[in-house]
Amino acid sequence: MQVLPLWELALATGTGFKKLSSNHSKVPLMRPFAFVLMSLFLTLSAVQARAQEDWSDTEIIVRAKAAIGPALWRVSDDDSQVIIIGVLPVFPKKQPWKTTRIENALRGANGLITPPDNTTGPADLWSLMRNKSLPEGARLIEALPSDLYARYEATARRAGVSTKDFAKDKPVWAGARLRREVLRKYGLTEDEPVTTIKRLARSARVPARAAGRYDSGPLFKAVNAMSEEAGEACLRYTLDDIDFDMDRAPRAAQAWTVGDISTLRSLYQGSVLMKCLSGSPTATATLNRSISDSVSAVSEALSKPGKTVAVLPLGQLLRKGGVLEKLRANGYRVSAPQD
């Protein structure tokens, strides 16, 4: 499908959409921060101040003494295997890491499975634009409790980011737009290392496909339907997440480059909006579907002789009831990283 750029939405997500020809009803969300917004729904929630993923207790990780590259899991069945790479929600753009293991895994592979992709309709995007602002020209400083607004401004000052453009946004969108700017300021991205792995796959002539594709419209609606109290709580969670990213994301990325899963678990930050939308049937259904679709994609790859490489969110991979536990329950052999 060929589409032409229209503009980048000035939203929390940094989301853009693309101009549609008359026969296109859905459009891909541009990835720079759209992936962050959607990954908030597709991974587990984080509690305030630090990550508290409900990790599976069946993983036994043996670290190599030499720093040879990211950790790899192998899922096998008779004459087929899928080599899985777990990735973080955010990653420093300039973080160096050794790609040799990934290049070796891709050599001769049947395909590359990438994280789920997202689509939305133009009407949903217009609705999001119309509803992201506070009613009747109100300003955030007037709408928020004084302590919360003070913390919001303090976080922005610490990051060196101006909040002028967000002054009339609802709390949930003001927080997410602030997060977007902080990620940019600190050189963090949601695209890496997936973009690099895709490039390596193209060089190896390995076709790539997403584990699933979701309509983000219902999730946007759920966010915009938040009550005033829920919006304020969501802003608090987002500020926690921003503090976490500034303090710990580079350390988590460094641990990822050497396959240090124990450190990654202690530094991992999961979803903000899953916490914001706790109890939402739409968010819960999306989370469950993301895991089942990833399991199905790996199972389908295992039905063919040879090997496939998969890139999946680390939280989705290792959590209790996550991808690896479900693959084991389906009878596949899962080997934990060891060198």
Side-chain angles (χ1 to χ4, degrees):
M1 178 178 68
Q2 185 176 5
V3 289
L4 300 174
L6 181 55
W7 66 79
E8 180 177 358
L9 291 177
L11 290 176
T13 57
T15 303
F17 63 90
K18 298 187 175 185
K19 187 175 182 179
L20 293 174
S21 62
S22 59
N23 61 339
H24 292 140
S25 61
K26 295 289 181 180
V27 291
L29 286 174
M30 293 174 68
R31 291 188 58 86
F33 198 80
F35 180 74
V36 163
L37 177 65
M38 294 305 298
S39 70
L40 298 177
F41 294 99
L42 299 181
T43 57
L44 285 180
S45 62
V47 297
Q48 299 178 20
R50 64 169 297 165
Q52 292 288 340
E53 286 283 356
D54 190 14
W55 298 116
S56 168
D57 54 10
T58 60
E59 294 301 316
I60 300 175
I61 309 299
V62 181
R63 280 192 66 199
K65 292 183 179 179
I68 61 174
L72 304 176
W73 285 262
R74 286 176 171 79
V75 184
S76 56
D77 181 35
D78 298 329
D79 58 352
S80 60
Q81 67 169 324
V82 174
I83 300 170
I84 302 178
I85 309 151
V87 293
L88 295 164
V90 296
F91 198 79
K93 292 179 181 179
K94 297 183 179 180
Q95 174 69 52
W97 60 283
K98 296 181 180 180
T99 62
T100 305
R101 301 188 79 192
I102 311 301
E103 293 176 71
N104 291 339
L106 287 166
R107 191 172 294 118
N110 294 330
L112 172 68
I113 300 168
T114 59
D117 207 349
N118 316 293
T119 62
T120 193
D124 289 324
L125 289 171
W126 282 116
S127 176
L128 188 155
M129 286 292 290
R130 281 199 314 270
N131 294 300
K132 76 179 185 68
S133 299
L134 289 164
E136 300 177 358
R139 299 175 64 84
L140 197 63
I141 190 172
E142 303 156 353
L144 289 177
S146 58
D147 66 318
L148 180 54
Y149 187 80
R151 185 186 172 194
Y152 169 75
E153 284 292 322
T155 297
R157 283 195 302 272
R158 178 189 172 202
V161 171
S162 171
T163 60
K164 181 179 178 181
D165 291 342
F166 322 146
K168 295 184 179 181
D169 283 357
K170 291 178 180 177
V172 61
W173 295 119
R177 292 180 74 183
L178 174 61
R179 176 181 165 81
R180 177 195 63 178
E181 294 304 319
V182 171
L183 292 180
R184 289 179 176 176
K185 182 91 172 181
Y186 278 70
L188 299 170
T189 178
E190 304 83 21
D191 292 340
E192 290 292 349
V194 177
T195 296
T196 296
I197 296 170
K198 286 182 176 179
R199 175 177 54 78
L200 295 173
R202 287 194 299 271
S203 297
R205 299 184 183 279
V206 174
R209 66 181 180 87
R213 175 161 286 187
Y214 312 123
D215 179 2
S216 59
L219 297 175
F220 284 145
K221 289 184 177 71
V223 172
N224 274 328
M226 283 183 183
S227 67
E228 181 178 326
E229 293 76 13
E232 292 174 5
C234 191
L235 176 57
R236 293 184 191 275
Y237 302 141
T238 304
L239 294 175
D240 290 336
D241 196 61
I242 292 170
D243 289 338
F244 188 97
D245 285 338
M246 288 193 290
D247 294 336
R248 304 189 189 188
R251 291 166 53 200
Q254 180 58 38
W256 181 89
T257 66
V258 297
D260 184 353
I261 303 300
S262 177
T263 298
L264 276 175
R265 283 177 166 174
S266 69
L267 295 175
Y268 188 83
Q269 177 77 323
S271 166
V272 175
L273 284 189
M274 275 300 293
K275 184 72 173 180
C276 295
L277 292 176
S278 60
S280 164
T282 299
T284 300
T286 303
L287 169 63
N288 292 337
R289 181 184 165 190
S290 71
I291 293 174
S292 62
D293 281 355
S294 296
V295 171
S296 295
V298 172
S299 299
E300 180 181 348
L302 289 168
S303 68
K304 304 171 185 176
K307 66 177 177 179
T308 299
V309 179
V311 186
L312 298 173
L314 192 63
Q316 186 187 103
L317 196 64
L318 295 180
R319 60 164 292 205
K320 287 185 177 180
V323 173
L324 292 183
E325 280 200 354
K326 288 185 178 297
L327 288 168
R328 282 194 183 93
N330 290 345
Y332 296 114
R333 296 185 297 275
V334 179
S335 300
Q338 47 186 305
D339 300 288

